[in-house]
Amino acid sequence: MRVDKYLWAVRYFKTRSIASNACKKGHVKIKGESVKPSRNVYPTDKIEIRKNQIHYQIEVLDLPKSRVGAKLANIYCLDITPKENLEKLDLLKYSQEYYRKKGAGRPTKKDRRELDDLKDNTKDDIEE
């Protein structure tokens, strides 16, 4: 089975074209080497996927005949991602909550003052 089709079938990517583009950009590696979307995957292969600034690592257990449900995806792959990588995901969520949401309108006067204070503090740190 092709690597892009496999990653789509076990629900690591929403569409097969997104999985294919990830392979073309070098975000998918097998045995440390970037792979083309057409590369075949076999059981016991270890795949490293860079998605949303996180390096996921999975081991292929079996090949599905077609796309499987989310509850059945763990039958076909084993997630061996280190805990440090998953902790980075939590930090990313917290950092995204800090920024203003899209469509929140113009910054308020308080927001502008906080930005000015931040700029002044960083300028002082650089000069020292």
Side-chain angles (χ1 to χ4, degrees), residues 8-126:
W8 166 76
V10 294
R11 297 186 170 265
Y12 265 87
F13 290 101
K14 191 172 183 178
T15 65
R16 189 168 163 194
S17 64
I18 294 172
S20 181
N21 286 336
C23 293
K24 289 176 186 173
K25 291 178 181 177
H27 296 299
V28 178
K29 297 181 180 183
I30 297 178
K31 297 178 184 170
E33 296 180 12
S34 295
V35 295
K36 292 182 177 180
S38 60
R39 168 130 170 3
N40 285 331
V41 179
Y42 304 102
T44 70
D45 277 349
K46 291 187 169 109
I47 303 174
E48 184 177 328
I49 307 156
R50 179 168 166 77
K51 181 180 167 189
N52 298 332
Q53 301 177 2
I54 307 292
H55 289 278
Y56 295 98
Q57 295 175 358
I58 61 172
E59 184 176 347
V60 179
L61 299 176
D62 198 10
L63 302 176
K65 293 183 180 178
S66 63
R67 189 168 167 98
V68 295
K71 292 181 181 178
L72 301 176
N74 59 357
I75 295 172
Y76 298 102
C77 68
L78 177 66
D79 190 3
I80 53 174
T81 306
K83 287 188 178 182
E84 298 85 34
N85 292 359
L86 297 176
E87 290 171 359
K88 289 179 188 176
L89 184 63
D90 292 335
L91 291 175
L92 280 173
K93 286 180 184 177
Y94 288 128
S95 68
Q96 289 174 352
E97 289 175 3
Y98 175 75
Y99 295 108
R100 297 176 55 82
K101 293 192 171 61
K102 185 175 180 180
R106 290 176 44 179
T108 62
K109 199 178 241 185
K110 182 181 176 189
D111 293 336
R112 183 183 54 80
R113 286 185 186 130
E114 288 175 355
L115 285 171
D116 289 343
D117 290 341
L118 181 67
K119 288 179 184 177
D120 289 341
N121 291 339
T122 56
K123 196 181 288 185
D124 293 339
D125 292 340
I126 292 172

